[in-house]
């Protein structure tokens, strides 16, 4: 729970699972995460082996992010959280 137990970390993981990789793409999510919080969450996920940074092929001098195998292993957990929310919290929708 220390690593994944806050709102922002799960949203970053969700976005990674849906193909976002550039810092600006994460900032464009509807939840409007602040840049300092996003940077901290990506650093924490990287330090714990769930995410890796690598050079962008699109933008010279920039880095992008992707889930590691360990990060991809959260897919089932994320799917269960989504299903639970859809089943039990009125007004919940599944966004990409």
């Amino acid at each position: 729970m220390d690593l994944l137990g806050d709102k922002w970390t799960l949203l970053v993981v969700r976005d990674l699972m849906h193909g976002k990789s550039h810092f600006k793409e994460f900032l464009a999510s509807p939840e409007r995460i602040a840049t300092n919080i996003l940077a901290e969450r990506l650093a924490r996920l990287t330090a714990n082996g769930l995410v890796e940074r690598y050079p962008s092929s699109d933008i010279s001098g920039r880095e992008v992010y992707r889930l590691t195998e360990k990060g991809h292993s959260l897919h089932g957990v994320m799917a269960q959280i989504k299903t639970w929310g859809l089943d039990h919290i009125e007004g919940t929708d599944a966004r990409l």
Side-chain angles (χ1 to χ4, degrees):
M1 290 306 291
D2 289 341
L3 177 59
L4 299 171
D6 67 275
K7 168 187 173 180
W8 297 114
T9 302
L10 291 175
L11 293 174
V12 171
V13 170
R14 175 205 65 191
D15 286 351
L16 285 158
M17 287 182 174
H18 288 107
K20 292 186 180 184
S21 60
H22 291 87
F23 199 85
K24 282 186 167 184
E25 292 174 323
F26 297 110
L27 292 176
S29 291
E31 294 82 15
R32 311 283 297 160
I33 188 171
T35 57
N36 62 321
I37 293 172
L38 175 57
E40 192 279 328
R41 295 314 188 273
L42 287 167
R44 187 182 332 157
L45 289 166
T46 300
N48 284 279
L50 281 86
V51 170
E52 61 184 349
R53 294 181 351 194
Y54 61 99
S56 174
S57 60
D58 301 341
I59 305 169
S60 180
R62 300 283 183 169
E63 292 185 322
V64 289
Y65 301 87
R66 66 179 163 216
L67 291 169
T68 62
E69 185 176 330
K70 183 177 178 180
H72 279 289
S73 71
L74 290 170
H75 184 75
V77 172
M78 296 295 286
Q80 289 179 335
I81 291 170
K82 178 185 87 171
T83 299
W84 185 88
L86 290 168
D87 290 347
H88 299 287
I89 300 175
E90 189 174 329
T92 298
D93 63 347
R95 296 184 210 153
L96 294 179

